[in-house]
Amino acid sequence: MATVRTFQVTFDCAEPERVARFWCTVLGYVMPDGVDCVAQDPTGEGPRLYFQRVPEGKVVKNRVHLDVRVGTGLVGDERLAALWAEQARLEPLGAVYLYTQYADGEEESCITMQDVEGNEFCID
């Protein structure tokens, strides 16, 4: 049987503290005392997030992104209402709406947004 490994998700960014605060608010994570560039799930279940300063800016679409799961188990108008409510919560934090992918019979609806430094993520 395979061993389960712990992992962290690392974000390259220009302003690590700002991006860390954004994601802490989005996910309900906390920043440990004295550590400005780390976000942790207070329950210990989710992965640690690390935000590292890099000199270059973002130039292309992310190859990996986070899905903020608020519509799990919901379909149709009920799912869209949950997604739109989360979009409305995140925009005042600095998130930017990009587009909505509507259900097509195979995949359910989701919303693609960007965080405060332009990293794409989905509300799913």
Side-chain angles (χ1 to χ4, degrees), residues 20-97:
R21 283 191 304 274
F22 172 83
W23 282 106
C24 280
T25 304
V26 171
L27 301 175
Y29 272 38
V30 296
M31 295 172 70
D33 291 337
V35 184
D36 293 335
C37 301
V38 170
Q40 295 177 324
D41 178 351
T43 69
E45 293 178 23
R48 174 180 134 141
L49 305 180
Y50 177 69
F51 303 87
Q52 67 183 4
R53 187 179 313 278
V54 295
E56 69 277 358
K58 181 178 176 303
V59 292
V60 296
K61 183 180 182 292
N62 302 7
R63 294 289 302 236
V64 174
H65 67 268
L66 301 184
D67 285 347
V68 178
R69 314 272 335 261
V70 299
T72 304
L74 303 176
V75 296
D77 290 342
E78 187 178 18
R79 181 180 177 88
L80 282 171
L83 301 180
W84 290 331
E86 185 68 356
Q87 174 189 343
R89 182 180 81 88
L90 300 182
E91 286 178 326
L93 302 175
V96 175
Y97 170 83

